[in-house]
Amino acid sequence: MTSEQSALVIGASGGIGAAVTARLEASGRYAAVHALSRSGTGFDLEDEASIAAAAARLDGGPAPALVFVATGVLHHGFEPERSWRALDPEHLLRDYRINAVGPALVAKHFLPLLPRDRRSVFAALSARVGSIGDNRLGGWHSYRASKAALNMILRNLAVETGRTHPQAVVAGLHPGTVDTGLSAPFQRGVKPEKLFTAAHSAERLLAVLDGLTPADSGGVFAWDGARVPA
């Protein structure tokens, strides 16, 4: 039976976002599952006005028990840097805008819609390479740094949200290597059992979120539930 709560997926036209949306819709847990994307609804992560307008449309309906930000960029016009010699200001800024600033603005406008009297979750796709403590290889400067910035934003959100929404969970998610357009150029050498379908990734990530408590808020968690080092 559906409850009087909703779920929201940002980036619902991407591989993981579409799979998460489909799984949420099939679960029957929500009165509504809102799927937002640039291609489907004109929602633009780089346009705060479109984010604010989307939040305004949801305000007054069933409160979102889950906000899942499934956006991100790795290549598309820029190759991940193998060396500091390849650093480019436009590449850095582009990755920060989409991977860190965008999710932060989603939080700005959607966190106020979360219910205060029960559990809720705000989650965003991060990446293990955004871990400072786990970085042994270097390179991929723009992507790593933007995901590290996202992880800090999520930690800040967790601290602040915990004061007003004591049952809320804010978390980053590392989905592993998923067979999508984002990872397609970098799948060589990935063992078959480590290359996940989007459907499998969605199943695992939602299961991880179901197992988190407010004590976990602010952390980043891999598809298998393991905490990713800060």
Side-chain angles (χ1 to χ4, degrees), residues 6-10 12 21 25 32-36 58 62 64:
S6 64
L8 171 72
V9 181
I10 306 289
T21 301
E25 290 175 337
V33 177
H34 304 283
L36 302 181
L58 267 63

Side-chain angles (χ1 to χ4, degrees), residues 120-160:
S120 60
V121 176
F122 181 93
L125 288 184
S126 186
R128 185 176 294 278
V129 297
S131 165
I132 294 173
D134 196 48
N135 185 359
R136 300 291 184 270
L137 298 175
W140 289 35
H141 298 284
S142 299
Y143 188 69
R144 284 185 186 274
S146 62
K147 289 297 188 178
L150 170 64
N151 294 347
M152 179 57 79
I153 289 168
L154 293 172
R155 177 58 185 161
N156 280 349
L157 296 175
V159 172
E160 187 172 354

Side-chain angles (χ1 to χ4, degrees), residues 177 183-195:
T177 303
S183 70
F186 313 103
Q187 292 177 9
R188 178 180 294 182
V190 177
K191 296 179 179 178
E193 66 272 17
K194 293 294 186 180
L195 181 61

Side-chain angles (χ1 to χ4, degrees), residues 202-222:
E203 176 187 0
R204 291 303 311 140
L205 295 178
L206 291 173
V208 169
L209 291 180
D210 280 345
L212 298 181
T213 71
D216 300 310
S217 195
V220 179
F221 299 87

